[in-house]
Amino acid sequence: MAFRFRVIPFVATVGLVVLGVLLGNWQTRRAEEKLSIAARLVERGAIAPVVLGSGGGLPVDIEYRRVRVTGEWVAAWPLFLDNRPLNGRAGFILAMPFKIAGANQNVLVLRGWLPRDAREYGKLPEFATPAGPTTIEGVATLSAGHVMQLGTPGALKPGALVQNLTVDEVASASGLALLPFFVQQSGAGQGDGLVRDWPAPATGVDKHRGYAFQWYALALMAALFFVITGFRSGRKQGG
């Protein structure tokens, strides 16, 4: 049975196969990264919390370590991370600096989630901030999460509604000395109106694997289609 080779379909097929394999590999890596993060969280969750401001210094790799810190909220600098849905509801994540007791340093805390008012889209939610010395616990993280940036962000100021946020941006705008990581606050029932139901890092692993399978399947189907149509064309041409 003759096979009819055609250049243009061959080039198109190679492009689809390469694209499918590359995107499948990328989704596979994303799944593996999330599983790795989840494993590190479990491992580091069993280690005693790092006490910030204790004078003992910080671990070289503090990401995903539990931390404990005593101090006071810098209540004049609330920031709201937009487009952070939770259980299908639109809302925000509240970020706020926390002044570490006995140190000239602050740490930027992701305090929790607040719902968006469905009747007034631009209205910011109410929340409570404890006054005076308090102790909080949480997990150190190098990122507050990233969403698609809609438009050009304005100047960062207290009460700003932002898509994304970095520690350096807050330090520059506020003049506060900030540690180079966030603390994702844990604990519930603190009467501040915030929800601390942080998604597990492994969430979405099955989704990534499903996408990877689809991209690999696309690559395989493109290759099979090229081979089958080549033989069919060759048979017709030979007949």
Side-chain angles (χ1 to χ4, degrees):
M1 184 180 295
F3 179 85
R4 184 184 177 189
F5 180 83
R6 292 176 293 175
V7 175
I8 294 178
F10 175 74
V11 172
T13 300
V14 170
L16 283 173
V17 169
V18 170
L19 177 65
V21 171
L22 288 176
L23 290 176
N25 289 344
W26 177 70
Q27 290 290 351
T28 299
R29 286 195 300 271
R30 290 287 292 131
E32 291 173 349
E33 287 170 3
K34 287 191 174 183
L35 287 173
S36 176
I37 290 172
R40 277 187 285 168
L41 268 173
V42 171
E43 177 186 351
R44 297 181 181 191
I47 304 174
V50 176
V51 180
L52 303 184
S54 63
L58 297 173
V60 175
D61 189 4
I62 194 171
E63 190 174 22
Y64 309 127
R65 284 288 303 271
R66 290 189 300 133
V67 300
R68 181 182 297 124
V69 56
T70 297
E72 298 184 35
W73 293 106
V74 184
W77 263 95
L79 297 165
F80 299 88
L81 287 161
D82 200 2
N83 294 325
R84 297 305 200 276
L86 179 66
N87 298 327
R89 296 181 63 192
F92 315 88
I93 289 178
L94 173 63
M96 185 178 290
F98 189 87
K99 175 69 170 61
I100 301 172
N104 188 29
Q105 286 183 315
N106 303 262
V107 64
L108 194 54
V109 179
L110 304 176
R111 292 188 56 188
W113 181 86
L114 292 163
R116 180 186 288 279
D117 191 328
R119 295 166 298 180
E120 295 185 53
Y121 187 82
K123 183 180 178 181
L124 293 174
E126 296 182 357
F127 61 91
T129 300
T134 186
T135 298
I136 64 169
E137 292 193 9
V139 175
T141 176
L142 301 183
S143 170
H146 188 84
V147 299
M148 182 181 295
Q149 184 69 51
L150 304 175
T152 303
L156 198 60
K157 58 184 180 180
L161 183 62
V162 297
Q163 305 289 333
N164 299 293
L165 193 66
T166 68
V167 172
D168 288 343
E169 289 172 340
V170 179
S172 177
S174 66
L176 297 171
L178 290 169
L179 294 175
F181 55 86
F182 296 87
V183 170
Q184 196 177 68
Q185 188 178 357
S186 58
Q190 299 181 20
D192 51 17
L194 291 147
V195 178
R196 299 185 178 92
D197 184 14
W198 304 107
T203 301
V205 168
D206 290 339
K207 177 186 69 176
H208 289 300
R209 287 173 172 169
Y211 287 155
F213 175 80
Q214 291 175 11
W215 285 116
Y216 291 141
L218 172 67
L220 178 61
M221 286 189 293
L224 289 175
F225 182 78
F226 174 75
V227 172
I228 292 170
T229 55
F231 279 116
R232 285 180 177 174
S233 297
R235 184 174 58 187
K236 291 179 180 177
Q237 191 177 42

